[in-house]
Amino acid sequence: MAVTDTEAFEARKAADIAFVQSATQEPLPPPMSHSGAVGWLRENLISGPMNIALTILSILLIAWIAPPVIKFLFVDAVWSGTDRDACIVTAERPHVGACWAFVRDRFSYFIYGSYPVDQRWRVDIFFGMLAVGIFWLAWLRAPRRDIGSIYFFVVLPIVSFILLSGLPLIGLPKVDTNYWGGILVSIVVAAVGIVFSLPIGVLLALGRRSDMPAVRLLSVIFIEFVRGVPLITVLFMASVMLPLFVPESWSPDKLLRALVGVAMFSAAYMAEVVRAGLQAISKGQYEGAQAVGLSYWQMMRLIVLPQALRITIPNIVNNYISLFKDTTLVFIVGIFDLLKTIEAARIDPKWAAPSTSPTGYAFAAIFYFTCCYLMSRYARQTEARLEKSHRR
Amino acid sequence: MSVVRETEKPKVSLLYDPKVRSIAYQLGLCAIIAFLVYSAATNAINNLAKANIASGFGFWNTTAGFDISQTLIEYSTVSTYGRAFWVGLLNTLLVAAIGIVLATILGFVVGVLRLSKNFLISRLAAGYVELIRNLPLLLQLLFWYNAVLKALPELRDSLAIPGGAFLNNRGLFVPQPVATSGFTAVWIAFFAGIVGSIVFRNWARKRQEQTGQQAPVFLVSLGCIIGLPLLVFFLAGMPLELSFPEKGRFNIRGGVEILPEFAALLFGLVLYTAAFIAEAVRAGIQAVSHGQTEAAYSLGLRAQPTLRLVVIPQAMRVIIPPLTNQYLNLTKNSSLAVAIGYPDLVQVFTGTVLNQTGQAVEVVAVTMAVYLTISLGTSAVMNWYNRRIALVER
């Protein structure tokens, strides 16, 4: 039966009937109005009165903001000069934009503060060591990440402390923290926050989930207290109350007090992030670990924390981003971080010009934006990776 | 009892009994904490005695002797430190309250625009959120204050804004509405309108449950709350006068003065917090699955009721917790006022009062207690609201 049908069809095809297609036609391209640039425009920008209104609104907004900003930052900008004369408005130069000459002139001040010039190589080494540590830990497939974390959380703090503040015994002259400043201090504050907040935060999170009521209560009080007050008050507490609470002979220096405040503050936030991760680990993991006879600390170190910390990496990094932005607050208790050096430089009469302040802030904005943006990209990438590995 | 123990549990030495161990650990921890607190207290007492600083709250009723640029309650240089505290606290609450309202509005608008199908506007919204979230708030505040508001013209070249307002580097001066006799009637009408619209809403809901007929609740409420006071206002012969600011040679008299510090702080806080709220709103709306919208359409609901009755109530559940956090953050971040000189609680109390009295422990403790109360109070209210709208599971 089927054979005869096919044969009949073949016969008809052979007869070559004009109105029957013998081969499949290529599909026509979609109409102009739905493809290519025009289609994209129609779809995304002008598909209805509301959409048209939004498009016009956004074009107006861009036209209002973008040209003046570009003009200020690049077109009218002053790129070189030695003092304020380069950046003030004169008759032959009625429009003066960003005064980049100011940033170029004070660049080393913004990075090192008043750190002695002949000792600045120590700061460079510190930056290099920190970069290695961050890279080692951030790259999830790096070799020997366990050594990496020892390096980052134990070796790096000790070596950097000796390197930066000096040890006359091995030939490094002492540099008082009063001379530290700029990006160096911002990075030191952030690094101390990052290095100390994670271990303390993990301990607090474990304490909050502990079976011992006294430990739980103390952890809860600390976490909720610190999270309930602004960082400024914690810094004020650290800078004016801490000297009262220790014997007079200790008298911790100003930077150290601020570092204690920042570390305490970020540890409380980190504790909540880690707690969320601990709660996400199923009870079976705990019970399994106990069933094979692991002690509490073995269970946490070998089974629970590796899983909990891994799934909280994105949140930990997000926490680091806000910590990094919050380091600017040490400015208020009188420490020369990047913002404070910019404040000091912009009111310096040598560079007093109307465009100096916006330029200084633009420089700080570029620095903070780059760092925070890179961190948030990393957090997002890790999140996507984790999602993929969870889906299977 | 002892028989059971002998047969079922092996005898362990006290050293290895988990219960004994746990109690010992806790006692040890408490002892360490107690020792730290004790040594801190004795050190503090010694140090304070050496520095000749009084302790206690005796300073609360002493004359402060400094002036504050913005006061919501009566305050002068002869007022007490206690009064200065209240002035600072009210200034903090003022900027926080206005900031929360504005940031919520801006945040919801940006969050919705970010999900818009319009390519340009969604990119713009995303760019705004990325830029603002990745810059420190303090930098933004300093920028608005020092680079924008301080760069405005001097008093004598004030920008005149149509409607009788002036803008210069000393602030924004706007006409002040002054109520004359008969304005109380407008207030009465306003409150009557609120009560009326609540009554009408309850009646309409009951009727809809019984008969299925709907009433135009929104329009009637609008008429009651805005229309009624307006009507009374015109009937009473417009009992409101505007006191216009007048520009003199050295200062501006009359009108309301909005300090540049206040404007910069409010502007910075609103822009910063709105970016975070926008993210929360976007996440909340995306958390409602598309099937919900499709199901609503298949039941015959139109786009607007779908949004109002199906999508938003479910999105709110996801949005409320991070939104609460952002409200608290805004309130806590308002303490950055100290950097630009807005007289908030931290600037007035932890700044000036602390410097004058030197009583660090009391001043910092009071400041922290205030922020803690605000934080815990807000989270208690928001938790209650959150429980009310939370999913009721069987």
Side-chain angles (χ1 to χ4, degrees), chain A residues 364-379:
Chain A
I366 292 168
F367 170 71
Y368 283 108
F369 185 83
T370 315
C371 295
C372 296
Y373 187 74
L374 288 180
M375 282 195 267
S376 71
R377 292 305 311 198
Y378 175 74

Side-chain angles (χ1 to χ4, degrees), chain A residues 120-131 156 159 163:
Chain A
R120 286 185 179 169
W121 56 271
R122 285 153 61 173
V123 180
D124 296 334
I125 292 181
F126 163 68
F127 285 150
M129 283 173 57
L130 190 68
L156 188 66
V159 174
L163 194 63

Side-chain angles (χ1 to χ4, degrees), chain A residues 51 55 214 227-228 244 325, chain B residues 26 47 118 133 272 332 375:
Chain A
N51 216 344
T55 304
R227 278 162 44 93
L244 290 177
K325 288 188 294 172
Chain B
Q26 295 183 57
N47 288 336
N118 187 305
R133 271 164 44 110
Y272 188 73
K332 285 186 277 174
S375 292

Side-chain angles (χ1 to χ4, degrees), chain B residues 264-394:
Chain B
L265 181 64
L266 185 65
F267 205 65
L269 282 177
V270 166
L271 283 184
Y272 188 73
T273 316
F276 286 86
I277 293 181
E279 276 299 275
V281 169
R282 183 181 67 102
I285 294 177
Q286 280 180 336
V288 181
S289 77
H290 196 60
Q292 297 283 335
T293 318
E294 284 167 351
Y297 285 162
S298 72
L299 282 175
L301 262 70
R302 293 203 192 115
Q304 208 265 330
T306 303
L307 205 63
R308 188 164 50 89
L309 299 171
V310 177
V311 177
I312 290 179
Q314 297 187 70
M316 279 315 265
R317 259 183 221 131
V318 185
I319 295 174
I320 294 285
L323 193 64
T324 317
N325 261 337
Q326 289 313 320
Y327 287 169
L328 289 178
N329 279 347
L330 188 145
T331 312
K332 285 186 277 174
N333 283 338
S334 71
S335 57
L336 291 186
V338 70
I340 56 172
Y342 172 72
D344 83 321
L345 179 66
V346 171
Q347 204 264 348
V348 170
F349 201 63
T350 323
T352 318
V353 173
L354 174 61
N355 280 341
Q356 288 198 0
T357 60
Q359 291 189 263
V361 180
E362 292 86 349
V363 169
V364 174
V366 167
T367 318
M368 287 187 150
V370 168
Y371 281 106
L372 264 186
T373 316
I374 296 175
S375 292
L376 296 181
T378 316
S379 40
V381 171
M382 291 310 263
N383 282 344
W384 168 80
Y385 179 68
N386 202 15
R387 260 202 308 282
R388 239 193 56 160
I389 66 162
L391 203 59
V392 182
E393 284 181 23
R394 271 159 295 180

Side-chain angles (χ1 to χ4, degrees), chain B residues 66-120:
Chain B
F66 60 88
D67 209 359
I68 299 176
S69 56
Q70 176 187 309
T71 56
L72 294 179
I73 52 174
E74 215 174 291
Y75 178 87
S76 66
T77 46
V78 293
S79 302
T80 59
Y81 285 124
R83 193 82 180 164
F85 164 79
W86 288 111
V87 170
L89 177 56
L90 283 176
N91 283 341
T92 291
L93 292 179
L94 177 76
V95 79
I98 300 178
I100 282 174
V101 173
L102 295 181
T104 310
I105 297 171
L106 184 63
F108 271 80
V109 170
V110 174
V112 171
L113 286 182
R114 220 189 140 176
L115 291 173
S116 160
K117 283 202 193 87
N118 187 305
F119 176 80
L120 269 182

